[in-house]
Amino acid sequence: MKRIYIFTGKGGVGKSSIAAAHAVKSAEEGRKTLLVSTDMAHNLGDIFERKLGKDVVNVLPGLDAYEIDPEYVMENDFSAVMSYLASLLPETEEEGAQGIGMIPGMEELFSLLKIADIYHRADYERIIVDCAPTGETLSLLKFPELLAWYMEKFFPVGKVAVRILSPISKAAFQVEMPNKNAMNEIERMFLKLVELQELLKDRAVTSVRIVTTPEKMVVEETKRSYMYLNLYNFNVDGIYINRILPTDLDNDFFAQWIAIQKEYTACIRESFAALPICEIPWYDEELKGERAIRRIVDEVLSDKEVFAVQNITERECFEKTEDGYQLKVFLPYAEKEAVDLYQAATDLVIRTGNFKRSIPLPNVLRSYTVTGARFEEGILRIQFGEGSDSDE
């Protein structure tokens, strides 16, 4: 079965080298593998000391690498919708996809759409994704669901509006309505978004791996990332602690650093006890070139089942109860005071910190309301009933 592995983490923790090591190991196992970078600051070419362009390049037997250029993807794969969007921005019309790329989230979205396209069309058994730093990755992963939600709400109305308003829109409002080709392209992109959502949240297909280092700020961000990824129901099934200093260094300068790393390594192991944890040493050379990457493979990954399907994190789920229904959402490391929720039409909206998610309610619950909620041991339990709203 085809699999996708997404590596993310705070900037500078070594995501690219660890993702590359997994790609090399995968190819050595005889699996046709693609290593993809969605980070705008690509460095796969630097790691493999090869020039990578806008197309897939073979770097080792059984291993291809690809640094996605979202502007190139937009211009070649979605030309009709790009032409329409460019017409709405006259000042950027000559710039084409570059102008559209200024819209927040668009470049990241098309990078994901390209990965989904490769998954369905190419014959790679494993696709390993080197993602941008955590904040951008979270935006990248939640964007398809958010955009698909809006498109699902407005797309049917939009098609009617196009048919009725198109003849008068340009004259009356100086707005160019999309033509038939653009509407077909928009509809195609909407279907791709729905497909992308299902692909990224299919736990038999996609795994998210978090790379961290044993430092206070990085560990705290790792906890938040884990909580947010669970909020959006992604399957996090591995933690990689990178750059661990050897404990036998006879040097007073490193003694304090070793003590600090021991403390936060223990913290990571305690906080993520349910997940497989892999420790990677701090090497005495720059991890650049095939030989250096193979050190990680040979010394750390050789005896590990790093590609096994592991459904570890809990899914959101609806359960029938005596009083109605209950929805359970897994939110590890969330603070009770920071969790808020409310019901909006046919959706339940959960907000924690700066992140918000809308969960569509099943048809059976459309006539129900939230009657209570409690947050215990990292699980938000929301009760639905036919009575009036209440809080717990």
Side-chain angles (χ1 to χ4, degrees), residues 201-256:
K201 296 189 178 184
D202 185 341
R203 292 166 184 249
V205 174
T206 304
S207 295
V208 179
R209 310 281 174 85
I210 303 178
V211 181
T212 186
T213 54
E215 305 167 44
K216 180 177 177 57
M217 290 182 62
V218 183
V219 171
E220 292 304 313
E221 179 166 328
T222 301
K223 289 181 181 180
R224 288 192 296 271
S225 300
Y226 183 53
M227 184 265 290
Y228 291 138
L229 286 163
N230 276 279
L231 172 63
Y232 287 95
N233 204 22
F234 293 105
N235 185 33
V236 180
D237 68 354
I239 301 290
Y240 292 78
I241 311 175
N242 196 22
R243 296 175 183 160
I244 298 179
L245 291 166
T247 57
D248 57 353
L249 291 176
D250 186 17
N251 187 305
D252 292 338
F253 176 80
F254 288 106
Q256 186 175 1

Side-chain angles (χ1 to χ4, degrees), residues 47-89:
I47 289 176
F48 287 98
E49 300 178 313
R50 295 281 300 275
K51 182 174 177 57
L52 301 179
K54 298 176 180 178
D55 299 307
V56 174
V57 175
N58 179 255
V59 292
L60 290 173
L63 175 59
D64 294 344
Y66 180 32
E67 294 181 338
I68 294 179
D69 182 343
E71 291 182 6
Y72 182 77
V73 172
M74 285 188 280
E75 289 175 345
N76 287 271
D77 293 358
F78 294 93
S79 56
V81 71
M82 289 301 103
S83 297
Y84 165 63
L85 291 175
S87 72
L88 297 179
L89 305 170

Side-chain angles (χ1 to χ4, degrees), residues 104-153:
M106 290 299 285
E107 290 187 339
E108 291 87 349
L109 172 65
F110 282 97
S111 295
L112 274 186
L113 287 171
K114 186 63 177 178
I115 292 172
D117 190 57
I118 292 172
Y119 175 85
H120 290 293
R121 296 193 179 194
D123 59 350
Y124 293 106
E125 295 177 77
R126 291 169 181 162
I127 299 175
I128 296 173
V129 184
D130 172 27
C131 265
T134 309
E136 295 176 46
T137 300
L138 290 168
S139 299
L140 173 68
L141 293 176
K142 75 176 183 178
F143 195 66
E145 177 176 311
L146 181 63
L147 187 55
W149 184 86
Y150 280 109
M151 291 184 74
E152 183 177 3
K153 294 290 186 286

Side-chain angles (χ1 to χ4, degrees), residues 143-308:
F143 195 66
E145 177 176 311
L146 181 63
L147 187 55
W149 184 86
Y150 280 109
M151 291 184 74
E152 183 177 3
K153 294 290 186 286
F154 297 114
F155 188 72
V157 177
K159 294 188 78 170
V160 174
V162 167
R163 190 167 62 249
I164 296 174
L165 298 177
S166 187
I168 62 172
S169 63
K170 190 169 185 178
F173 305 108
Q174 298 299 308
V175 174
E176 186 76 38
M177 297 297 286
N179 57 31
K180 184 177 180 179
N181 288 338
M183 285 303 296
N184 289 339
E185 197 79 1
I186 292 170
E187 185 171 15
R188 185 167 71 92
M189 190 169 76
F190 168 67
L191 294 175
K192 278 184 171 289
L193 282 172
V194 173
E195 186 180 78
L196 178 61
Q197 264 192 90
E198 295 174 351
L199 183 67
L200 293 177
K201 296 189 178 184
D202 185 341
R203 292 166 184 249
V205 174
T206 304
S207 295
V208 179
R209 310 281 174 85
I210 303 178
V211 181
T212 186
T213 54
E215 305 167 44
K216 180 177 177 57
M217 290 182 62
V218 183
V219 171
E220 292 304 313
E221 179 166 328
T222 301
K223 289 181 181 180
R224 288 192 296 271
S225 300
Y226 183 53
M227 184 265 290
Y228 291 138
L229 286 163
N230 276 279
L231 172 63
Y232 287 95
N233 204 22
F234 293 105
N235 185 33
V236 180
D237 68 354
I239 301 290
Y240 292 78
I241 311 175
N242 196 22
R243 296 175 183 160
I244 298 179
L245 291 166
T247 57
D248 57 353
L249 291 176
D250 186 17
N251 187 305
D252 292 338
F253 176 80
F254 288 106
Q256 186 175 1
W257 279 108
I258 291 171
I260 291 172
Q261 286 200 342
K262 282 184 177 180
E263 176 185 351
Y264 288 109
T265 298
C267 177
I268 294 169
R269 288 198 164 277
E270 179 181 337
S271 299
F272 301 99
L275 298 178
I277 296 176
C278 180
E279 296 186 9
I280 300 170
W282 193 317
Y283 288 101
D284 56 359
E285 63 177 331
E286 184 180 9
L287 292 175
K288 182 179 179 181
E290 179 187 348
R291 188 192 62 79
I293 293 299
R294 284 189 184 276
R295 289 189 67 181
I296 300 179
V297 178
D298 296 338
E299 297 173 16
V300 181
L301 304 179
S302 62
D303 60 344
K304 297 184 182 298
E305 293 292 330
V306 294
F307 299 112

Side-chain angles (χ1 to χ4, degrees), residues 10 33 86 92 128 131 147 156 204 282 301 322 324 331 368 382 384:
K10 186 176 173 62
T33 304
T92 64
I128 296 173
C131 265
L147 187 55
W282 193 317
L301 304 179
E322 293 182 1
L331 295 177
Y368 285 67
I382 305 157
F384 293 84

